[in-house]
Amino acid sequence: LLCLRHDEAVVSTQSTGRKYNKDFVSEIEAYQKDPESYEEVIEEDEDEDEKSDDEGIGFAPSSTKVVKKTRTTSSRGDDEDDFEDDSDDMWGDDSSDESSSDDEVPAIGYTAAYFLKRKDDDKKDKPDRKKKAPRQPAKVSTSKEDEGWTTVSGTDKVTKEKPLFEDDAEITVELVNQKIAELSSVRGRRGAKRQKNIETLELLSGVCVSEDLGIPILAKCMYYTCLAIFDYNPNMAVCMKVEIWVQLLATLDKLLTLLEQHREVHFNEGMPEEEENLEDTERPLTVAGSILVIMERADDEFTKLLRNLDPHGTEYVERLSDEAKLCGLILRVKAELGHRRASHEEMCRTYLREIEHLYYKVDYKAGEDDGPESSRAKMDTLCKYIYRYDSTDRIRTRAMLCHIYHHALHNRWSEGRDLMLMSHLQQSISHADIPTKILHNRTMVQLGLCAFRKGLIQHAHTTLNEIQSSQKSKELLAQGLSTQRMSERNLEQEKIEKQRQIPFHMHINLELLEYSYLTCAMLLEVPHMAAHQFDQRKKLSRTFHYQLRNAEKSPLIGPPDSMREHLVAAAKAMMKADWKTCADTLLAHKIWSLMPRADEVKEMLRQKIKEESLRTYMFTYSACYDSISPLVLSRMFDLTNAQIHALISKMILNDELKASWDKPTDLLMLHRAESSKLQSLTKQTADKLTYVMDNTEKMLQQGTPFTSKGSAPSGLPWNSTWTNNMYINKSGGQGYSGNQGYSGGNQGYSGRHNYSNQGDRSGYQKRNYNSANNAGYNKRTGGNYNNSGYNNYNRKQNYSQSAY
């Protein structure tokens, strides 16, 4: 019996044999009827070269050939002789083979000497290979009869080019138009010769000029030449070659020059080719096509070309110089569309292309000369036209974002902020396409940097927090891919994200952005930490705390080197109210030289560090003073007496510092107001109740206040509802949950503690939470909560401890 693996091999071999034997059915049947008429004859190979080759690679030195012989009478009749005859025919006669393996076996058996190399092996005669003589090159005749002929090698392929037109054909506008249609019909096909089509269309343009066929057909040839150049790359994700790009600019420049010289010819985008007029001068000469589409495609190809070049090489700078030519072409297209009174939609598309090449460039003369030629006047003119006439949301949205970006870039904070708030873009940007979302992120970042340069630290932190806290600033700004998140995307997603990248010269410095954000977080977070030493749950910036924790884990703390080390060292100095060390450490980094108006920004930061260090000092050491003179604080923090008075008065008004001014002595009197344990617990309870109320209101406003989780416990009243691990008693009585309860009847809101008072109309109602004496919490009227000395507590408005 065979094992399973061998059995399967036998079955497979049999099925394969039956499959290939179908072509030899007749021969097999003839052999089965008369097997003695066939014999196996072994013939030696006559070619020595083939024999030596076969022996070298392991094949048998002889070949077998089956031939048919004449039938002879056999003298062997018994079965044994037949078996021996068959075996001899199949395997051959071993006795006649001189190279038999049995003769080579030594008498004493296989020993180590048998496998060693012998000297006699090297003396064996090796078959001589016949070396073929090298082919001699053909002699070239130098007779006078052969002059004017070119010698062609045998490997060269001689192809006969098809002529552009037949020799006897009359070249007309109709014939050239037919040739253009023929070339246009092969666009996009796999076997199309794209470079050949471009050259053919250029030849057609030359034929139109030489035969004087007219301006319309010449303009059409140039137009289709531009289309053929765009089709040169079958893959839209691949950028153009530089040579093809230069050829495109030259062709488009010739086409616009031709249209400017002959204003009677114009393109119509919505016209079919059958209705175009190329000859009849009595009617308007119209060519089917759109010059605006060509310009937009050229602009996209320019962006794609810059995206795929090395930004630190000279070739990038050379190609970037083509932007001036491209902007000039955009202006010429705008003039051409304005001359033929194009639609508002086409003009808005042209204006948007001009805006996208203008909005990110810094006008160094801004503020000095705001005339009609300034960038601000141009942006206002272009954007206001789009605001007025655009009917698509996308063009208006992108124009508005570019307008805000330009305002923020030139430190016009109030104009950019007002335009952003009045447009309500943050509410509708989630429905926009991805390139528009990227532009929105860039605009918000630039607006935050503008607020930072203006000294509006709170606004800058709020604006930059959403981008920086996500740890995806590169992807959100389309300025690269984060290596830390390579595992979260596949190759297809990475390819798509690379196609969304913006050119390098439009990038925002990410290191400067991070340093500005962390500086804002330090100026806000360090005084906040000093004011809430025993309540670390309230954090304004988790990114800043993350940097502090990482610095504390470092076993060796040396002089700051990187940007984050400078920031952590400055923060630790501010915690000690050492404003000089803080300012020197923070401003020592070279990154600030990249900030526009760096000297003004450094001076602003130094002033902010003094003020926040003063606040930190008062929060930390106010308990150690009964009174303090503002002159002492002025010398400590290098601030004027008026600035000290303004800062401390603001802290007193915001209920951040328990102090008062003594006018006769001009001293700051500090009050030690330490709340008792009961007051602290009551305050925490009130905060928790406020949090629960806010969440409940949000859930009710969303329309799905609760979601069912688990099954209702047994023993509930029949008129109660189980939702979200709590039940609502609809008929009255007290509701129950683990920590909170909700009752829709008279007893009202209750949890672990009974929070209801006397009377049937007390408790949580639809709008008011009132006790029997109408005091307590009232959402609409903002009533009072009176308990243990508390006075005047309103959830939204005020919280005062004047009754302590």
Side-chain angles (χ1 to χ4, degrees), residues 21 312 329 360-361 391 401 463 474 718 752:
N21 287 341
H312 305 289
L329 294 176
Y360 63 89
K361 297 177 181 177
S391 58
L401 289 172
T463 307
K474 283 187 177 181
W718 65 271
R752 281 183 177 175

Side-chain angles (χ1 to χ4, degrees), residues 158-314:
V158 181
T159 57
K160 185 177 181 180
E161 295 184 359
K162 184 179 179 181
L164 191 61
F165 299 106
E166 297 181 359
D167 296 337
D168 56 347
E170 180 182 0
I171 300 176
T172 60
V173 174
E174 183 179 357
L175 184 61
V176 173
N177 194 15
Q178 182 179 359
K179 189 66 177 179
I180 293 174
E182 178 183 348
L183 294 174
S184 178
S185 62
V186 299
R187 289 180 57 193
R189 295 185 181 180
R190 178 173 297 179
K193 299 179 180 179
R194 299 178 180 86
Q195 182 64 34
K196 185 66 176 178
N197 292 343
I198 297 174
E199 296 174 357
T200 304
L201 287 168
E202 290 181 346
L203 290 176
L204 285 177
S205 300
V207 169
C208 293
V209 175
S210 61
E211 298 293 335
D212 194 15
L213 298 180
I215 301 301
I217 189 64
L218 178 60
K220 186 172 183 179
C221 288
M222 292 182 179
Y223 177 78
Y224 275 89
T225 302
C226 294
L227 294 180
I229 292 175
F230 288 131
D231 295 338
Y232 183 80
N233 287 332
N235 189 0
M236 294 295 293
V238 180
C239 66
M240 273 186 182
K241 294 182 179 179
V242 178
E243 299 81 7
I244 300 299
W245 165 252
V246 174
Q247 184 180 4
L248 173 64
L249 287 182
T251 307
L252 188 55
D253 179 66
K254 293 179 182 179
L255 177 58
L256 289 174
T257 303
L258 184 67
L259 294 177
E260 290 171 355
Q261 295 175 355
H262 303 275
R263 293 292 187 181
E264 68 276 5
V265 180
H266 63 273
F267 285 84
N268 193 340
E269 184 176 4
M271 175 182 290
E273 294 186 5
E274 294 80 8
E275 298 180 4
E276 61 183 4
N277 181 24
L278 303 177
E279 296 182 273
D280 191 1
T281 57
E282 296 180 357
R283 295 184 300 159
L285 298 176
T286 310
V287 182
S290 174
I291 193 68
L292 177 59
V293 174
I294 297 294
M295 184 268 294
E296 291 177 339
R297 286 286 303 275
D299 192 13
D300 295 338
E301 289 294 337
F302 177 69
T303 304
K304 194 187 305 180
L305 182 64
L306 292 179
R307 185 187 301 134
N308 289 272
L309 290 177
D310 181 16
H312 305 289
T314 57

Side-chain angles (χ1 to χ4, degrees), residues 478-578:
Q479 296 184 188
L481 302 178
S482 299
T483 55
Q484 299 176 356
R485 301 182 178 275
M486 293 297 291
S487 59
E488 298 181 4
R489 66 175 72 92
N490 52 31
L491 294 178
E492 187 66 24
Q493 292 175 347
E494 183 178 352
K495 181 180 178 181
I496 293 174
E497 289 188 6
K498 286 183 178 180
Q499 294 176 1
R500 297 171 183 159
Q501 305 300 308
I502 61 175
F504 179 77
H505 67 282
M506 300 173 62
H507 283 193
I508 299 173
N509 194 310
L510 296 179
E511 188 176 0
L512 180 62
L513 173 62
E514 183 180 4
Y515 205 16
S516 302
Y517 169 74
L518 291 177
T519 302
C520 295
M522 181 194 71
L523 294 175
L524 295 175
E525 191 69 41
V526 172
H528 184 269
M529 292 168 59
H532 302 83
Q533 297 180 3
F534 305 105
D535 189 8
Q536 296 296 331
R537 295 177 300 173
K538 298 180 180 180
K539 296 179 182 180
L540 301 179
S541 176
R542 296 185 180 274
T543 307
F544 177 74
H545 282 273
Y546 176 75
Q547 299 299 333
L548 291 180
R549 289 195 301 269
N550 284 348
E552 292 174 357
K553 295 178 183 178
S554 178
L556 179 63
I557 300 177
D561 184 22
S562 64
M563 176 264 295
R564 296 175 180 176
E565 291 177 356
H566 276 81
L567 183 88
V568 172
K572 291 182 178 179
M574 182 178 283
M575 292 177 185
K576 301 175 183 178
D578 187 0

Side-chain angles (χ1 to χ4, degrees), residues 612-625:
E612 299 303 326
S613 298
L614 172 62
R615 286 166 48 84
T616 305
Y617 183 80
M618 296 304 300
F619 286 138
T620 306
Y621 301 106
S622 61
C624 302
Y625 289 94

Side-chain angles (χ1 to χ4, degrees), residues 401 403-421 426 439-454 456 459-464 508 513:
L401 289 172
H403 201 182
I404 297 170
Y405 189 101
H406 191 264
H407 281 312
L409 189 63
H410 294 85
N411 291 330
R412 296 191 288 267
W413 157 257
S414 57
E415 291 88 342
R417 178 202 58 189
D418 295 343
L419 189 56
M420 176 65 76
L421 295 177
Q426 292 179 326
L439 180 58
H440 173 264
N441 295 337
R442 286 168 48 81
T443 303
M444 294 301 297
V445 165
Q446 197 61 247
L447 201 61
L449 291 176
C450 177
F452 178 77
R453 292 192 295 268
K454 285 287 186 178
L456 306 173
H459 291 287
H461 181 267
T462 305
T463 307
L464 299 177
I508 299 173
L513 173 62

Side-chain angles (χ1 to χ4, degrees), residues 680-740:
S680 300
L681 293 175
T682 307
K683 181 182 177 182
Q684 293 179 9
T685 305
D687 291 340
K688 291 180 180 179
L689 290 175
T690 304
Y691 177 75
V692 171
M693 288 289 297
D694 290 341
N695 286 346
T696 305
E697 291 174 3
K698 290 179 182 179
M699 295 169 67
L700 291 174
Q701 289 175 1
Q702 292 175 359
T704 56
F706 302 103
T707 57
S708 177
K709 294 182 180 180
S711 58
S714 59
L716 292 181
W718 65 271
N719 55 353
S720 61
T721 304
W722 176 261
T723 55
N724 199 17
N725 295 334
M726 60 188 295
Y727 77 87
I728 301 174
N729 193 344
K730 299 180 180 178
S731 64
Q734 180 175 350
Y736 173 79
S737 71
N739 292 323
Q740 300 168 359

Side-chain angles (χ1 to χ4, degrees), residues 38-222:
Y38 291 86
E39 70 177 356
E40 192 173 348
V41 180
I42 302 176
E43 298 179 356
E44 294 182 358
D45 194 352
E46 297 178 356
D47 192 353
E48 295 294 337
D49 293 336
E50 295 182 2
K51 178 179 178 181
S52 60
D53 291 341
D54 292 341
E55 290 175 354
I57 61 176
F59 289 104
S62 61
S63 60
T64 60
K65 184 176 180 181
V66 180
V67 297
K68 187 175 181 179
K69 71 169 187 175
T70 57
R71 182 178 183 133
T72 59
T73 58
S74 176
S75 61
R76 286 174 286 187
D78 54 344
D79 296 340
E80 184 178 357
D81 293 340
D82 292 342
F83 177 75
E84 292 177 357
D85 187 18
D86 293 341
S87 62
D88 292 340
D89 292 340
M90 181 179 298
W91 303 105
D93 191 2
D94 293 339
S95 63
S96 62
D97 191 358
E98 295 179 357
S99 62
S100 175
S101 61
D102 294 335
D103 297 339
E104 297 178 359
V105 178
I108 59 177
Y110 292 101
T111 61
Y114 174 77
F115 295 98
L116 294 177
K117 185 177 180 180
R118 292 172 293 181
K119 295 183 179 180
D120 297 340
D121 296 340
D122 298 336
K123 299 180 180 180
K124 290 183 178 180
D125 295 332
K126 296 182 180 180
D128 297 333
R129 291 181 176 273
K130 296 180 180 180
K131 296 183 179 180
K132 296 182 180 180
R135 181 178 297 178
Q136 299 294 334
K139 295 182 178 181
V140 181
S141 177
T142 58
S143 62
K144 294 183 179 180
E145 298 178 357
D146 297 334
E147 292 181 357
W149 295 85
T150 304
T151 303
V152 180
S153 63
T155 58
D156 294 340
K157 294 182 179 180
V158 181
T159 57
K160 185 177 181 180
E161 295 184 359
K162 184 179 179 181
L164 191 61
F165 299 106
E166 297 181 359
D167 296 337
D168 56 347
E170 180 182 0
I171 300 176
T172 60
V173 174
E174 183 179 357
L175 184 61
V176 173
N177 194 15
Q178 182 179 359
K179 189 66 177 179
I180 293 174
E182 178 183 348
L183 294 174
S184 178
S185 62
V186 299
R187 289 180 57 193
R189 295 185 181 180
R190 178 173 297 179
K193 299 179 180 179
R194 299 178 180 86
Q195 182 64 34
K196 185 66 176 178
N197 292 343
I198 297 174
E199 296 174 357
T200 304
L201 287 168
E202 290 181 346
L203 290 176
L204 285 177
S205 300
V207 169
C208 293
V209 175
S210 61
E211 298 293 335
D212 194 15
L213 298 180
I215 301 301
I217 189 64
L218 178 60
K220 186 172 183 179
C221 288
M222 292 182 179

